[in-house]
Amino acid sequence: MIKEIIVIAILLISTLSFSQATNSSPYSLFGIGDQVHLKSVEEIAMGQMGGALNSEYQLSFTNPASYGSLNWTTYVFSGGNKTNNVNDGESEQTSSAAALTYIALGIPVNGNQGLAFGLQLNTSVGYSLIDQTFDEDGTLTEIDRYYGDGGTNRVFLGYGYKFPFNLSLGVELAYVFGSIDNNVLNRRNDVQLATQSIIDSKIKGTTVKFGAHYAQNLNEKLKLKLGVAVDLESTLKERGDQFLYTLVNTEDGSGFPIDTLNNASFTSTIKSPLKTVLSAGFGEDNKWFIGAEYTFQNPMEFTGGIYEDIDFYRYDKFSNISFGGFYTPKMNSLNNYFQRVTYRAGINYQKTGLVINDTEINEYGISFGVSLPMGLKLSNVNLGFEIGKRGTTDNNLIEEKFYNFRLSL
């Protein structure tokens, strides 16, 4: 057990020591990047539904009250690959990015309590866009190249307590940190010098989440489960520097810095309002479960610094509705491996809250997955697959069709 904890600690430390190319979406340009689903591979495979779930040996990140049900020390790490097909109405392009998404450890305490801590990818930035301008004769006169990377991570500590009357309460504290680099390069024909704007920023802050979970027996086998999770209002601080350079305008697009036109520091705030998750479902323990989940939040607020003069995008209310479940034919089967496999599926529809050119950017997805047992023990390999669409080609915007593969051990 001690060796296992040491291995987890080493993985956490090593993860902090390098940055990842975690995204390939043009929509990650806005705000502090794409919000990563703060859920386990199993939850995402059920359409992101997880607030009503609890388990003796699996971690569910949606609701910290679920940690009170842990009876086994549980450690897990997960990674995934996202393939993105981008369509601007005239042409299509496909890109992909892989990332380590979370590492976590859950520890049962005294039979009715549980602790969980770990590191999760929180938001991700990764984009490369080119905007070309042509004259009446079709000659290319100007090129703007936008590219960026980075994002934020969160270190969290959660605690859950299970009361004798099937009620569990939990709390989670998290520290968010990270850095983002945004670049814009402008080149014009017959102009000796190009210009480049670089914005480097660092982000940090804390968040608090509370959760409650209740289970009620409907008969000898069937059980109703209810879950509520609330992220309290939080504020992240963003500090950074904005540079403006002149560069030699070369034909091959490479640039050599000549002079710094401007260098300014800035401070911004990102306010995240109260976020509520309501979840309910019913099923038979370790056999099957089906449920639904609704998440909603008022608009995020970005103020100060680089957000002061932005008028082409804003944030509206966020909401997400999910349906999903799982089925295990026979968890303790000794002679049929596939009867011990857990099968999952789900769907979800999300209003991301991002509004560009007065157009809402919405997303929907279909997901499914399996948990493959390792021998006759409780350990398993979780595979998750998701296909979906985000955005639209209306109003000169971009439509994304994504294909996600996730793996956790």
Side-chain angles (χ1 to χ4, degrees):
M1 177 59 193
I2 297 299
K3 292 182 179 179
E4 293 166 347
I5 294 177
I6 292 175
V7 169
I8 294 294
I10 293 174
L11 287 172
L12 283 169
I13 295 171
S14 63
T15 302
L16 293 174
S17 65
F18 66 91
S19 61
Q20 308 175 75
T22 58
N23 207 325
S24 60
S25 169
Y27 287 115
S28 67
L29 177 152
F30 303 100
I32 57 173
D34 279 347
Q35 176 64 60
V36 177
H37 303 310
L38 300 178
K39 294 175 178 285
S40 66
V41 170
E42 299 95 313
E43 292 173 290
I44 295 175
M46 294 183 290
Q48 304 178 27
M49 189 275 302
L53 295 174
N54 62 340
S55 174
E56 298 176 351
Y57 59 93
Q58 290 180 334
L59 294 178
S60 297
F61 298 130
T62 305
N63 191 344
S66 65
Y67 302 145
S69 298
L70 286 174
N71 285 335
W72 303 85
T73 297
T74 303
Y75 51 94
V76 60
F77 66 92
S78 171
N81 183 82
K82 180 177 182 178
T83 300
N84 220 19
N85 180 270
V86 178
N87 180 8
D88 65 1
E90 297 180 356
S91 61
E92 295 186 16
Q93 182 177 348
T94 300
S95 59
S96 63
L100 180 68
T101 50
Y102 61 81
I103 303 174
L105 174 66
I107 305 172
V109 180
N110 295 331
N112 68 333
Q113 303 171 62
L115 289 172
F117 63 92
L119 174 70
Q120 291 175 308
L121 188 63
N122 184 58
T123 64
S124 60
V125 175
Y127 62 90
S128 181
L129 304 169
I130 295 179
D131 184 19
Q132 299 177 328
T133 302
F134 299 87
D135 62 17
E136 296 179 355
D137 299 327
T139 302
L140 180 64
T141 60
E142 185 176 356
I143 296 178
D144 288 306
R145 183 189 175 197
Y146 304 83
Y147 56 99
D149 57 39
T152 62
N153 302 300
R154 66 194 298 268
V155 178
F156 71 92
L157 173 64
Y159 168 78
Y161 186 96
K162 185 176 182 180
F163 295 91
F165 40 91
N166 291 326
L167 174 67
S168 300
L169 300 178
V171 61
E172 178 189 276
L173 307 177
Y175 175 70
V176 178
F177 63 97
S179 60
I180 297 175
D181 297 327
N182 292 296
N183 296 265
V184 181
L185 176 64
N186 176 269
R187 298 177 57 240
R188 299 183 181 183
N189 280 351
D190 301 324
V191 176
Q192 181 179 5
L193 299 179
T195 58
Q196 183 175 23
S197 171
I198 300 178
I199 300 175
D200 294 330
S201 62
K202 296 187 180 298
I203 301 165
K204 63 181 179 179
T206 58
T207 65
V208 180
K209 178 193 292 186
F210 291 98
H213 184 277
Y214 179 73
Q216 174 65 50
N217 292 324
L218 300 178
N219 55 39
E220 291 183 359
K221 294 183 177 181
L222 199 60
K223 183 176 290 186
L224 172 68
K225 294 185 177 182
L226 306 173
V228 178
V230 177
D231 287 273
L232 300 185
E233 181 181 297
S234 61
T235 300
L236 301 180
K237 293 292 185 181
E238 181 177 15
R239 292 182 172 86
D241 297 291
Q242 185 170 12
F243 303 92
L244 185 62
Y245 297 101
T246 57
L247 305 93
V248 174
N249 192 2
T250 59
E251 292 184 359
D252 62 0
S254 61
F256 303 95
I258 291 183
D259 196 7
T260 300
L261 300 179
N262 186 38
N263 179 4
S265 298
F266 66 88
T267 300
S268 307
T269 60
I270 300 99
K271 181 180 177 182
S272 180
L274 186 75
K275 185 177 183 179
T276 305
V277 179
L278 305 176
S279 187
F282 62 94
E284 182 180 341
D285 282 344
N286 299 319
K287 180 71 175 180
W288 64 273
F289 185 86
I290 185 170
E293 183 169 295
Y294 179 60
T295 305
F296 57 95
Q297 183 183 34
N298 283 331
M300 297 182 66
E301 298 178 12
F302 294 77
T303 57
I306 57 177
Y307 304 110
E308 283 297 312
D309 300 322
I310 293 177
D311 57 5
F312 66 94
Y313 81 90
R314 59 184 172 83
Y315 282 86
D316 206 340
K317 292 183 178 180
F318 166 90
S319 66
N320 185 75
I321 185 167
S322 306
F323 299 93
F326 71 82
Y327 174 67
T328 308
K330 189 177 181 180
M331 182 181 179
N332 57 358
S333 176
L334 297 177
N335 54 12
N336 190 327
Y337 175 82
F338 291 100
Q339 286 192 339
R340 292 188 286 118
V341 174
T342 299
Y343 305 88
R344 295 182 170 87
I347 60 174
N348 76 287
Y349 176 77
Q350 181 179 118
K351 299 183 68 172
T352 67
L354 179 61
V355 179
I356 306 174
N357 295 337
D358 294 323
T359 303
E360 291 185 350
I361 306 302
N362 299 327
E363 175 184 317
Y364 68 84
I366 301 172
S367 55
F368 51 93
V370 293
S371 291
L372 304 175
M374 298 174 63
L376 296 177
K377 299 181 180 180
L378 292 176
S379 298
N380 52 65
V381 176
N382 300 296
L383 304 178
F385 306 89
E386 183 183 21
I387 58 176
K389 188 179 79 170
R390 175 168 62 169
T392 176
T393 56
D394 295 341
N395 296 329
N396 297 318
L397 298 180
I398 291 173
E399 178 185 272
E400 295 180 346
K401 294 180 180 178
F402 55 84
Y403 310 88
N404 294 334
F405 167 74
R406 295 180 174 90
L407 166 70
S408 72
L409 304 174

